[in-house]
Amino acid sequence: MKRKFLSIAAIYLVSICFFIINVINNFPVVASLLYLIVIVMSSTFFNELLSSNIYVALILGMHCIGCLVIDYTCIDVGIYLFSLTAVLLFSYFKTLHKIKEERVAVERNQFQKIRFKNMMDAIFILEESSLRIVDCNDKALSLLNRKDGCIGKCIKECISSNIMDSIDLDNLEKYFEEGNEEIKVLGKKCNDFWIDMRIKRFHVEERRYLLLCISDITRHKKNEEEIEYLAYHDTLTNLPNRRYGDEKLQLAIKNTLKKKNMMSIMFVDVDEFKMVNDLLGHAAGDRLLQEVARRLQESVRKDDLVVRLGGDEFMIILENICFADEVIGIANRVIETFSQRFRVKGRSLSITCSIGIAVLPHHGTDVETLLEHADVAMYEAKRNGRNNFMIFNHELRDESLIGGTII
């Protein structure tokens, strides 16, 4: 850059010498007009002179031509003044246009800076070689909670290691040279929030930089989790719903058959629930179901799953059963917890339940069969007076469902 300034200074020094020659020779017409053109170009395209040698060479060429024709031409004073006025007007309007363009460029540059600083995503500009942060916007500082700033620091110092470890920073150059345009890291947990991260490479002259964009997707992630929760849970009791229960039952059957173990499912139906709804209203019925759900969860083991199938029906999935007595013991605990009266809308209610039980592999090895047999056993428990449990029996089928024994 220093050489360019020196060369331009030398050209202008030569221009002054040419002007003096023109004055001595009474302003020859070609030399004088060419000189005026040089003035226009020098004032209008000065910025371009710093970035291109074409204009420098053009100026020098014009002056040389002017000197060569000095002896053969002369200029009238009126023509000279007219030419000078025309050139000055041209120079004025050209300069005015240039100023307007520069003003627009400045405004556009300021707009880009404001937009960069106020973008909703966190933006970092990094040196590729050192991963040092060259610039970042306000969202980046807010996201990382860095009040002291992070300009000049390595990105590894500012972002959690579990995020940066997901990117092979040592082989970024090789990655981009293989033709990849972007690195994406989606759905990563960073402290208390979730982020998407993208890295792109760009060049400024011969220097290489990385554009790191971090999007805070915490709200989106929470919405996804809420939607998923609603899709798999009952909103009244907060228990897993039938869809979730069916998926877990399929998985439990697969694992049990693989381990050659035992498991069981229970169908629990609240006796005379319709009467509670009719006498006390649906609000009371809902409150009763919530209390039933709570008691069922307290009656089972830690790893057992209680599912609301719909209405007043519930399902309990019991995995890792070693002996039939374990199933019977849990069924007795459920019936025992129903023996305590329920308080609903200021009233004390005596509520019982009927339970149907099916055991894998004795009563089936697939979802449909186990559900069907547990359902049959549950209705048999109701026909036998309610407030008890029945375990399905293959040999007796419809007529030989017995309580408390597995054959």
Side-chain angles (χ1 to χ4, degrees):
M1 187 63 71
K2 186 176 180 180
R3 288 184 178 181
K4 286 188 176 182
F5 279 114
L6 292 176
S7 62
I8 292 170
I11 294 300
Y12 275 92
L13 183 61
V14 173
S15 297
I16 294 173
C17 295
F18 286 150
F19 179 72
I20 293 173
I21 295 173
N22 284 334
V23 172
I24 294 173
N25 289 276
N26 297 319
F27 290 94
V29 63
V30 177
S32 300
L33 291 176
L34 290 177
Y35 183 76
L36 291 175
I37 293 174
V38 169
I39 294 175
V40 175
M41 295 184 65
S42 300
S43 60
T44 307
F45 304 108
F46 180 76
N47 291 333
E48 282 80 353
L49 282 173
L50 299 178
S51 58
S52 177
N53 292 324
I54 296 176
Y55 294 103
V56 176
L58 189 59
I59 292 171
L60 184 59
M62 287 180 175
H63 284 301
C64 292
I65 293 172
C67 291
L68 293 175
V69 298
I70 285 175
D71 294 334
Y72 307 102
T73 59
C74 62
I75 184 171
D76 181 75
V77 175
I79 296 175
Y80 176 77
L81 292 175
F82 174 79
S83 302
L84 177 62
T85 303
V87 169
L88 290 177
L89 287 174
F90 175 79
S91 177
Y92 170 76
F93 287 112
K94 187 66 178 177
T95 303
L96 185 64
H97 178 69
K98 185 71 175 180
I99 291 173
K100 288 181 179 179
E101 286 184 343
E102 290 180 351
R103 183 179 297 169
V104 171
V106 170
E107 290 177 354
R108 187 182 296 113
N109 187 42
Q110 290 177 344
F111 172 76
Q112 294 290 349
K113 287 183 178 179
I114 293 173
R115 187 174 69 171
F116 172 73
K117 289 295 183 182
N118 294 279
M119 287 185 70
M120 298 301 295
D121 294 334
I123 305 294
F124 296 89
I125 298 176
L126 317 174
E127 281 186 348
E128 183 178 333
S129 58
S130 63
L131 298 179
R132 185 175 59 86
I133 300 173
V134 177
D135 198 6
C136 65
N137 62 358
D138 294 340
K139 181 65 176 180
L141 297 176
S142 174
L143 185 68
L144 301 179
N145 195 24
R146 297 294 296 256
K147 297 180 180 180
D148 57 339
C150 53
I151 304 298
K153 297 180 179 179
C154 180
I155 190 65
K156 294 180 181 180
E157 301 176 19
C158 302
I159 298 182
S160 299
S161 58
N162 66 311
I163 301 299
M164 300 313 296
D165 288 348
S166 60
I167 302 174
D168 189 0
L169 296 174
D170 296 329
N171 292 310
L172 282 178
E173 182 176 356
K174 180 181 178 181
Y175 179 84
F176 285 115
E177 286 179 353
E178 289 176 352
N180 299 294
E181 297 181 355
E182 185 179 37
I183 298 176
K184 293 182 180 180
V185 178
L186 306 178
K188 270 286 186 177
K189 189 75 178 291
C190 180
N191 298 329
D192 296 328
F193 51 87
W194 291 85
I195 65 169
D196 284 346
M197 185 164 61
R198 293 175 172 83
I199 300 178
K200 283 189 174 183
R201 174 200 259 182
F202 66 97
H203 298 77
V204 176
E205 294 183 353
E206 297 180 356
R207 304 186 70 175
R208 291 182 297 191
Y209 295 91
L210 298 175
L211 179 67
L212 171 60
C213 177
I214 299 178
S215 304
D216 186 355
I217 60 168
T218 304
R219 181 176 298 179
H220 175 70
K221 200 72 176 179
K222 287 183 178 179
N223 289 339
E224 281 186 349
E225 292 173 353
E226 183 176 350
I227 292 172
E228 183 178 1
Y229 182 86
L230 293 175
Y232 284 100
H233 286 78
D234 172 53
T235 55
L236 177 63
T237 61
N238 287 325
L239 290 177
N241 59 17
R242 188 179 198 118
R243 178 182 177 185
Y244 185 87
D246 288 345
E247 291 182 6
K248 286 296 183 181
L249 180 56
Q250 288 180 352
L251 183 62
I253 291 174
K254 182 179 178 181
N255 292 335
T256 301
L257 292 175
K258 185 177 180 180
K259 295 178 182 178
K260 297 181 179 180
N261 207 340
M262 292 174 59
M263 66 164 289
S264 173
I265 62 171
M266 294 182 178
F267 269 14
V268 182
D269 185 85
V270 181
D271 298 328
E272 304 295 350
F273 177 74
K274 186 176 183 299
M275 184 180 297
V276 176
N277 261 346
D278 293 342
L279 294 177
L280 302 180
H282 289 286
D286 290 345
R287 182 68 189 89
L288 175 60
L289 290 175
Q290 290 173 340
E291 180 62 19
V292 167
R294 185 187 68 80
R295 293 192 185 187
L296 288 176
Q297 287 181 300
E298 291 178 352
S299 302
V300 299
R301 300 170 302 176
K302 181 180 179 181
D303 296 331
D304 296 334
L305 181 67
V306 180
V307 177
R308 186 189 178 195
L309 298 177
D312 60 346
E313 291 186 342
F314 298 83
M315 177 175 68
I316 302 175
I317 300 176
L318 309 170
E319 292 188 71
N320 300 318
I321 298 296
C322 297
F323 303 99
D325 289 345
E326 293 181 68
V327 181
I328 296 171
I330 294 173
N332 282 325
R333 283 205 302 271
V334 171
I335 292 177
E336 175 65 25
T337 193
F338 271 75
S339 66
Q340 302 174 25
R341 299 180 71 84
F342 290 81
R343 296 287 299 180
V344 178
K345 294 188 71 172
R347 297 191 180 189
S348 177
L349 303 177
S350 177
I351 303 295
T352 61
C353 69
S354 300
I355 305 173
I357 302 172
V359 179
L360 182 150
H362 299 78
H363 307 138
T365 57
D366 60 83
V367 173
E368 292 183 0
T369 303
L370 287 173
L371 292 178
E372 179 185 353
H373 289 169
D375 191 51
V376 169
M378 186 265 293
Y379 278 105
E380 183 65 18
K382 282 186 175 294
R383 284 196 293 269
N384 283 319
R386 300 185 178 90
N387 194 29
N388 63 8
F389 68 89
M390 287 289 170
I391 301 176
F392 185 81
N393 185 291
H394 258 307
E395 296 178 358
L396 299 179
R397 191 70 182 172
D398 297 329
E399 298 180 356
S400 299
L401 293 163
I402 60 175
T405 306
I406 300 177
I407 297 180

